């Protein structure tokens, strides 16, 4: 039976990418999918297979200033009213939140109406929006086992893995081919929506310390903030290193498939994509994450031998140069890491999550 499903997600890649992957699977099964998000989603939602995209006002509580808090509350109240009107119009069979404050008004409206609802948590540590919703929804799908979840929530939790986009599944078909001595070494560096600035500083420091025999092999793809883009590009040009530098790459899955080594933050989507594609990495958890979720995400992949985790405070240019040189000169070790990463991936996570959505109870007649 065809269902109308509302996906609600914050407007960053970490929230939208798994929602997009699920949307593709649900659409393939014949369901009608709608997306509720905020104004930031534009550059990420171009390929989102939604019948409609609905903008819902939302706000965070980043400031303790009473005026700022009052404005946030007003915006959230406006978002809740907007979401309630949207749900009355759409009458979705299931509403699913993927985290971020924009997911709160639609999911909360569904729970208040008594309509089927669930959340998907991408990280090893549940985010604030999902923590707020967890006791209200019927099911909690987990991308990574929720070892720290309260006991009263555990019966609701089903580990499905983190859905990855079709482009990632296509990239996963490319086997890892290590770079032998003297061959080009493809290095992919990105920092996500937060934290790219650190890589723009430490990578040039590290590369300048490499032996010429290693440095001359490098082919670099690097995400950099707009403020850092020109400086980073100039560094690579002056160093004679072929490099593509941009604030955003729409074909990142293809670039990961071609990578011999990835250096990145350890957001849940990133860790899941590295695992599904199977690429060795150096993961640097974002140190200012409120719940230290990135450290927990990285620890799981590290335990399987699929990555090297480095605290930002400890990752000097000298240390990064040492790790880079070791992996560039040890193709067998890089290949072993790639295989270990791949062994942790759940490539059918979108199918498992779609199964869970289809198994949700029907909306009651009184609703």
């Amino acid at each position: 039976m065809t269902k109308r499903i509302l996906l609600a997600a914050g407007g960053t890649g970490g929230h939208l990418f798994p929602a997009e992957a699920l949307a593709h699977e649900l659409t393939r099964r014949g369901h009608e999918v709608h997306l509720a998000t905020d104004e930031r989603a534009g550059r990420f939602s171009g390929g989102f297979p939604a019948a409609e995209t609905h903008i819902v006002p939302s706000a965070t509580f980043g400031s303790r200033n009473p005026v700022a808090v009052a404005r946030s509350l007003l915006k959230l109240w406006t978002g809740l009213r907007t979401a309630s009107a949207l749900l009355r119009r759409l009458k979705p069979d299931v509403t699913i939140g993927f985290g971020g404050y924009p997911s709160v008004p639609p999911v909360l409206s569904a729970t208040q109406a008594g309509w089927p609802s669930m959340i998907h948590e991408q990280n090893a540590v549940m985010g604030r929006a999902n923590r707020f919703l967890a006791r209200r929804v019927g099911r909690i799908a987990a991308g990574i086992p929720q070892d720290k979840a309260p006991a009263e929530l555990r019966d609701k939790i089903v580990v499905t893995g983190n859905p990855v986009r079709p482009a990632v599944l296509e990239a996963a078909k490319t086997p890892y081919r290590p770079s032998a001595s003297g061959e080009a070494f493809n290095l992919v560096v990105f920092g996500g929506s937060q934290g790219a600035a650190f890589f723009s500083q430490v990578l040039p420091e590290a590369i300048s310390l490499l032996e010429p025999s290693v440095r001359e092999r490098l082919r670099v793809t690097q995400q950099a903030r707009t403020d850092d883009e020109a400086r980073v590009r100039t560094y690579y040009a002056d160093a004679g290193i072929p490099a593509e530098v941009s604030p955003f790459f729409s074909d990142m899955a293809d670039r990961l498939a071609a990578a011999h080594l990835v250096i990145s933050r350890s957001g849940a989507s990133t860790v899941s994509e590295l695992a599904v594609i199977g690429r060795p990495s150096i993961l640097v958890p974002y140190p200012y994450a409120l719940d230290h979720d990135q450290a927990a995400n990285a620890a799981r992949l590290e335990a399987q031998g699929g990555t090297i985790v480095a605290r930002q405070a400890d990752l000097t240019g000298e240390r990064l140069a040492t790790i880079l040189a070791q992996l560039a000169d040890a193709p067998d070790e890089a290949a072993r890491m790639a295989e270990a990463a791949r062994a942790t991936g759940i490539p059918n996570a979108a199918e498992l999550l779609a199964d869970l959505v289809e198994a949700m109870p029907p909306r009651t007649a009184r609703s």
Side-chain angles (χ1 to χ4, degrees):
M1 184 179 108
T2 299
K3 291 187 176 185
R4 176 176 290 170
I5 297 160
L6 178 62
L7 308 183
T12 63
H15 299 303
L16 278 167
F17 287 163
E20 178 188 335
L22 175 61
H24 279 287
E25 177 62 21
L26 291 171
T27 301
R28 187 187 69 78
R29 297 185 184 195
H31 300 298
E32 179 185 330
V33 176
H34 289 253
L35 172 67
T37 185
D38 63 12
E39 300 87 350
R40 299 172 297 166
R43 69 177 182 176
F44 296 111
S45 61
F48 205 106
E52 289 183 76
T53 297
H54 312 274
I55 302 302
V56 175
S58 184
T60 63
F61 291 93
S63 170
R64 295 184 180 180
N65 181 287
V67 175
V69 170
R71 286 175 179 165
S72 294
L73 286 170
L74 179 61
K75 195 167 186 180
L76 282 170
W77 172 247
T78 302
L80 186 60
R81 294 188 56 163
T82 301
S84 296
L86 174 64
L87 263 72
R88 287 195 300 272
R89 178 168 70 84
L90 291 180
K91 293 183 170 56
D93 293 287
V94 186
T95 301
I96 309 160
F98 281 82
Y101 279 102
S103 71
V104 172
V107 178
L108 187 58
S109 295
T111 64
Q112 289 176 340
W115 293 357
S117 61
M118 58 186 288
I119 56 174
H120 179 273
E121 175 55 53
Q122 296 92 52
N123 293 289
V125 178
M126 199 172 289
R128 287 175 292 171
N130 276 348
R131 284 204 303 270
F132 173 75
L133 295 167
R135 288 176 173 80
R136 296 170 168 83
V137 298
R139 281 285 188 183
I140 300 170
I144 297 173
Q146 300 292 300
D147 297 334
K148 297 183 179 180
E152 63 268 24
L153 296 180
R154 289 176 188 165
D155 287 344
K156 290 184 179 183
I157 297 174
V158 178
V159 178
T160 60
N162 282 314
V164 296
R165 298 163 291 154
V168 174
L169 294 175
E170 188 64 29
K173 297 176 183 178
T174 302
Y176 182 72
R177 190 185 72 81
S179 171
S181 179
E183 294 182 343
F185 188 86
N186 297 330
L187 179 65
V188 175
V189 185
F190 61 100
S193 59
Q194 296 177 310
F198 172 71
F199 293 134
S200 294
Q201 173 188 331
V202 76
L203 256 295
E205 293 177 10
I207 290 172
S208 66
L209 296 172
L210 292 172
E211 293 292 332
S213 60
V214 176
R215 190 164 58 244
E216 291 165 2
R217 294 167 56 197
L218 291 179
R219 306 292 184 269
V220 180
T221 291
Q222 183 165 344
Q223 181 193 45
R225 296 188 313 171
T226 302
D227 293 346
D228 299 324
E229 182 180 358
R231 174 177 59 82
V232 175
R233 185 178 285 115
T234 297
Y235 165 77
Y236 286 120
D238 290 347
I241 296 172
E244 293 185 68
V245 181
S246 175
F248 181 74
F249 292 98
S250 61
D251 60 345
M252 184 57 82
D254 292 337
R255 294 172 186 270
L256 291 176
H260 294 111
L261 178 66
V262 177
I263 301 175
S264 72
R265 296 302 189 183
S266 52
S269 290
T270 296
V271 171
S272 297
E273 291 180 1
L274 287 172
V276 169
I277 298 174
R279 293 298 179 265
S281 61
I282 302 169
L283 294 179
V284 187
Y286 185 61
Y288 308 113
L290 288 176
D291 301 306
H292 302 291
D293 54 336
Q294 290 207 3
N297 297 341
R300 179 173 174 268
L301 193 57
E302 181 185 36
Q304 301 300 319
T307 188
I308 295 171
V309 178
R311 291 177 63 246
Q312 179 170 310
D314 300 332
L315 192 62
T316 62
E318 184 176 3
R319 186 184 175 204
L320 181 55
T322 299
I323 299 172
L324 270 172
Q326 288 173 344
L327 290 175
D329 289 335
D332 289 346
E333 174 62 13
R336 186 200 62 75
M337 289 176 64
E339 185 58 33
R342 192 178 183 90
T344 70
I346 306 178
N348 65 332
E351 297 171 24
L352 296 174
L353 185 54
D355 290 344
L356 195 61
V357 172
E358 290 182 331
M360 291 291 286
R363 194 157 42 84
T364 60
R366 71 176 179 80
S367 302

